[in-house]
Amino acid sequence: MNRKHLFMAVVVGLLCFIGVVEPPPSGADEGYAGASWTIEQAAYTGRVEGDIARINAELTIKVLQNGYAEIPLIFGNAVITDVKAGGSSATLVVRDDQYALAVQKKGTYRVSVQFSTSLGRDERYEQISVDIPQAVFSRLTLEIPRMDLELAPDQVLTVNKEVRKESVLLSGSLGFSRQIHLRWAARPVKQDPVEPAFVTDLRVLATLEEEALRMTALVRYQVLQGELNSVAFDLPAGLTVLSIRGGAIEDWKIAPAEGAQRVTVSFRDPLKVGLTQLIVEAEQPITKSSTQAVFPSLVPLGSKRITGYLAIATGTTIELQNPVTDGLNRIDVREIPDDLRSFASAPLVAAFRYAQAPYRLTAALYQPENLAVLVAIAESGDLATILTPTGEAITRAIYQVRNNKKASLAVSLPKGATLWSVLVDRRSVKPAAGPDGQVLVPLSVNTGPERSFPVEVVYVEKAAPFQWLGKTEYKGPVLDIPLTVVRWNLFMPEEVRGYWFSGNLQQHLKMAGFLSDPSPIAEGQVRLASLNEEKAATGTSLNTVRAKRASQRGFREAEMSKMACDSAAPQAQPADYLDGRDDKEEMDNFRQMAAEVQQAGVLPFRIAIPSSGRAHSFSRLLTTGEPLTIRIRYVKIAPQVFSVTTGGIGLAGFLLIGGGLRAGFRRRRPLTA
């Protein structure tokens, strides 16, 4: 060190000793942290002007000891517009792009800072958020030029609101907080309305029915911008709107328009950018005299672009001829989108694509006359009649019926017959009386013509008692529908023997059943396929499956044979009819009691018919409205006597025949000399 530098160090040391200059401590560039100071109070007052809050801060700072100190003035998220410091020894400096107060002596200093900050805004609130220096106690007063101001819920308890003539004054304590954070309800922001824009895609199905042209339209709206509170479209004037469906629909109305009808659909919530679809169903009548059809078009209003498909379906005999189109391009029906195809319940016969609306499609209609077919038929009829020695006849008739649309079956019982029970599909039904004395049996139409169901009728009729020798006649019920095949089993008492039968049925006619397939080869293929299916299901061999089915078939045949023998076997011995009882009196009492327990309007029940006597079987094919008739010539005799008489007559006949043969043989012998 040279002499000059040594002299300067001695002078500075003397000056520091006498207190004229206080040298800055080491590290003064980074802020002096050794000095003790505090901000005792801070008062903030301001006003909101538009989206800017202008605030003035008055800070009271106390320095506790002598020495150089820098007190930072930190106001984050704000722009300081003016700073003033009170006191002769206070100086404002800039450290790290922030204001700081530099002091050298202890004492109290006042600093005034003016700053501005922009209002923050979200969907619900407006707010002020500014970082401030921490003070022992801080207060805030803010004037907002609004009358309908509402504070946030978390600040209602700490901030006072004073309503003035044209503004609201908010005041509150900030305590030792490092931040001003004040929120209130945001004012609605008026935005310029955006004109909605959307495009439309149409999928229209027109179905030709017998008396109407039905339209089902799938309307898709693709919103590009804005919001849609409602949509409108035009339909032809002669079209009747049946329904409009959609998840967001609130209501829809129809009003007349020029040459059309305008449908307006309103929504519960506005449709925003995205896809929404409606389903519109409508129809227009078609009369038998109609020779031309005009297919309806749906015209959406206000759409930027329209595209669509039109499909035509028909499930009737109506044919389209010479179609004339305008604005349509013919395509193959296989090009129809799947969502439109799913609406079709009938075959599609034509398809079109279009890019404008309205389009026009007219076509000539050809409606051939429908041929009449059967609406109901009885595939088979099984009758069983039990005859008693006193002439009573109890008959159960079971018909297997297929029905398409017939509401009731008219059954004409024999004259003098009394109805006992009626069952349809094994369920009790209430019969009614027809205009000509028929029994009207309500039929089931829910099953459809694919399945047949039984109709059971039980009735009793009174005939003349059996004499020792005579004839009698029995008639069956008459149906108002065709009867394909009928089988009638007649059970006669053991002591009554019929020796001559006539009528419109054939005795002992063999029925082979219905032909399921005219081809024996096809029937064998079906049977083989069934065997293979059971083989795959059970995991056994084909021979095992065949043996199992043969065993089941044999068991069923044995059971059926046993049931047939039991039903054909007489339930009472002939001697029971010859025990001297008054059968006529017993049957009269039974008939009277049965009449007393009958009541109209009561559901009937199934009646068990006893099987007794000797069975005689009769059959007939194809019966239409003609009463079934069986005429019998009979003889009534005890079975023992009948057996002896029959044996004697047979022996006498044998002797007569033998004598005749012997006489003839003698006449043919040559004469000898």
Side-chain angles (χ1 to χ4, degrees):
M1 179 180 298
N2 55 24
R3 293 180 179 179
K4 184 177 179 179
H5 289 166
L6 179 61
F7 176 75
M8 292 296 297
V10 172
V11 172
V12 171
L14 291 175
L15 293 176
C16 291
F17 178 77
I18 63 176
V20 176
V21 177
E22 295 182 7
S26 61
D29 293 341
E30 291 80 12
Y32 177 48
S36 177
W37 56 268
T38 181
I39 302 177
E40 290 185 337
Q41 292 183 359
Y44 298 92
T45 59
R47 178 180 174 83
V48 175
E49 299 176 358
D51 291 337
I52 303 297
R54 304 186 187 278
I55 301 175
N56 181 43
E58 297 292 339
L59 306 178
T60 301
I61 304 174
K62 188 173 183 179
V63 179
L64 303 178
Q65 64 183 14
N66 293 325
Y68 184 82
E70 289 185 3
I71 303 171
L73 304 177
I74 301 174
F75 292 90
N77 196 28
V79 177
I80 297 177
T81 57
D82 190 15
V83 181
K84 294 180 181 180
S88 59
S89 64
T91 304
L92 293 173
V93 297
V94 177
R95 298 294 183 188
D96 296 333
D97 297 331
Q98 292 181 350
Y99 287 103
L101 180 66
V103 296
Q104 293 183 353
K105 295 182 179 181
K106 63 180 180 179
T108 300
Y109 301 89
R110 288 180 175 83
V111 178
S112 177
V113 181
Q114 293 182 1
F115 60 89
S116 300
T117 182
S118 60
L119 299 183
R121 184 188 300 271
D122 55 21
E123 295 181 356
R124 300 181 58 187
Y125 297 105
E126 293 177 352
Q127 61 183 351
I128 293 177
S129 180
V130 179
D131 295 331
I132 59 176
Q134 187 179 23
V136 176
F137 187 80
S138 301
R139 293 188 62 85
L140 170 67
T141 301
L142 184 66
E143 184 180 3
I144 303 175
R146 284 179 54 184
M147 300 296 295
D148 56 345
L149 186 140
E150 181 180 355
L151 288 169
D154 58 341
Q155 296 183 347
V156 173
L157 298 178
T158 59
V159 179
N160 297 324
K161 183 175 69 172
E162 180 183 350
V163 180
R164 298 183 175 183
K165 291 183 179 181
E166 296 180 357
S167 62
V168 173
L169 186 65
L170 301 179
S171 60
S173 172
L174 301 178
F176 53 84
S177 175
R178 293 179 180 269
Q179 186 183 44
I180 297 176
H181 188 202
L182 188 61
R183 298 189 302 163
W184 58 88
R187 180 179 300 175
V189 179
K190 295 183 179 180
Q191 299 180 353
D192 295 334
V194 178
E195 182 180 359
F198 62 93
V199 296
T200 310
D201 181 67
L202 301 174
R203 312 286 173 91
V204 181
L205 173 66
T207 304
L208 282 171
E209 299 179 352
E210 291 185 358
E211 299 180 354
L213 174 59
R214 184 179 294 272
M215 183 192 77
T216 303
L218 178 62
V219 188
R220 292 182 173 178
Y221 293 97
Q222 180 71 41
V223 182
L224 305 178
Q225 68 177 22
E227 295 181 350
L228 287 177
N229 295 315
S230 62
V231 294
F233 51 85
D234 287 346
L235 291 173
L239 203 65
T240 301
V241 180
L242 301 178
S243 67
I244 300 177
R245 305 193 305 272
I249 290 180
E250 182 179 17
D251 192 13
W252 55 277
K253 299 179 180 179
I254 301 177
E258 184 178 356
Q261 54 181 339
R262 183 154 299 172
V263 181
T264 303
V265 181
S266 57
F267 303 100
R268 290 191 299 269
D269 300 317
L271 300 182
K272 299 182 179 180
V273 176
L275 180 65
T276 301
Q277 65 182 17
L278 304 177
I279 299 177
V280 182
E281 293 183 349
E283 69 176 12
Q284 65 184 21
I286 295 179
T287 61
K288 291 186 177 181
S289 59
S290 300
T291 59
Q292 192 176 33
V294 179
F295 290 87
S297 63
L298 187 149
V299 184
L301 303 180
S303 180
K304 299 295 183 182
R305 186 179 69 252
I306 298 175
T307 57
Y309 290 89
L310 171 63
I312 300 176
T314 176
T316 65
T317 56
I318 300 178
E319 296 182 3
L320 298 179
Q321 297 180 348
N322 303 323
V324 179
T325 62
D326 183 11
L328 295 172
N329 296 322
R330 188 75 177 262
I331 61 175
D332 192 273
V333 295
R334 290 171 292 184
E335 300 179 49
I336 290 294
D338 293 336
D339 53 357
L340 179 58
R341 189 186 303 274
S342 64
F343 286 107
S345 59
L348 299 178
V349 297
F352 303 88
R353 183 188 293 115
Y354 59 92
Q356 67 178 27
Y359 55 81
R360 182 173 178 82
L361 172 60
T362 59
L365 297 180
Y366 172 67
Q367 304 186 55
E369 292 292 335
N370 293 328
L371 295 178
V373 296
L374 288 175
V375 297
I377 188 173
E379 291 183 340
S380 65
D382 289 277
L383 283 72
T385 300
I386 309 299
L387 305 179
T388 66
T390 57
E392 299 285 347
I394 303 175
T395 302
R396 168 185 285 166
I398 301 178
Y399 303 97
Q400 290 293 330
V401 178
R402 288 185 184 270
N403 185 30
N404 193 357
K405 57 184 294 186
K406 192 173 177 60
S408 60
L409 174 66
V411 181
S412 299
L413 299 180
K415 186 176 181 180
T418 301
L419 180 67
W420 274 11
S421 176
V422 177
L423 301 178
V424 176
D425 203 4
R426 301 176 181 84
R427 295 183 178 90
S428 299
V429 296
K430 293 181 180 180
D436 298 328
Q438 307 102 324
V439 176
L440 299 182
V441 180
L443 296 180
S444 174
V445 295
N446 297 328
T447 57
E450 293 81 9
R451 185 179 74 87
S452 63
F453 54 91
V455 176
E456 178 179 330
V457 179
V458 178
Y459 62 91
V460 62
E461 54 185 323
K462 172 64 178 174
F466 288 103
Q467 305 297 325
W468 292 108
L469 184 65
K471 61 181 180 179
T472 185
E473 180 180 273
Y474 297 96
K475 292 187 176 182
V478 179
L479 309 181
D480 64 341
I481 60 175
L483 178 58
T484 305
V485 57
V486 62
R487 295 172 288 268
W488 194 349
N489 292 324
L490 196 66
F491 294 86
M492 300 181 64
E494 288 291 341
E495 67 272 21
V496 179
R497 301 298 177 94
Y499 60 88
W500 183 81
F501 299 91
S502 63
N504 55 8
L505 289 89
Q506 298 183 26
Q507 193 173 12
H508 307 298
L509 179 64
K510 298 297 183 180
M511 297 296 175
F514 294 98
L515 297 177
S516 58
D517 196 319
S519 173
I521 299 178
E523 183 179 356
Q525 292 175 349
V526 171
R527 186 182 298 108
L528 181 59
S530 176
L531 291 172
N532 290 328
E533 290 179 0
E534 185 172 351
K535 170 189 174 184
T538 58
T540 58
S541 63
L542 195 61
N543 292 332
T544 304
V545 175
R546 285 197 178 105
K548 178 181 177 182
R549 290 197 176 184
S551 176
Q552 293 175 349
R553 185 167 56 252
F555 176 77
R556 287 196 300 268
E557 291 176 355
E559 288 294 323
M560 293 177 63
S561 300
K562 182 178 181 299
M563 292 172 60
C565 293
D566 292 343
S567 62
Q571 302 298 319
Q573 298 299 326
D576 294 339
Y577 296 100
L578 305 176
D579 58 357
R581 294 182 301 176
D582 192 349
D583 295 332
K584 183 178 183 305
E585 181 179 356
E586 289 292 336
M587 291 307 301
D588 290 341
N589 294 336
F590 180 82
R591 191 185 311 110
Q592 181 180 358
M593 182 177 296
E596 290 176 355
V597 297
Q598 285 187 324
Q599 184 177 353
V602 178
L603 287 174
F605 50 84
R606 187 179 184 88
I607 297 176
I609 305 298
S611 176
S612 175
R614 186 183 298 274
H616 299 273
S617 300
F618 305 89
S619 303
R620 177 174 173 170
L621 293 173
L622 304 179
T623 303
T624 54
E626 182 182 0
L628 302 174
T629 305
I630 298 177
R631 301 183 184 89
I632 306 173
R633 292 185 180 274
Y634 65 88
V635 58
K636 181 180 179 182
I637 189 172
Q640 296 86 348
V641 177
F642 186 83
S643 300
V644 174
T645 305
T646 304
I649 295 175
L651 179 60
F654 177 76
L655 294 176
L656 290 175
I657 293 173
L661 292 175
R662 185 177 180 182
F665 179 74
R666 287 179 177 179
R667 286 195 298 268
R668 291 181 181 178
R669 292 179 61 184
L671 297 176
T672 57

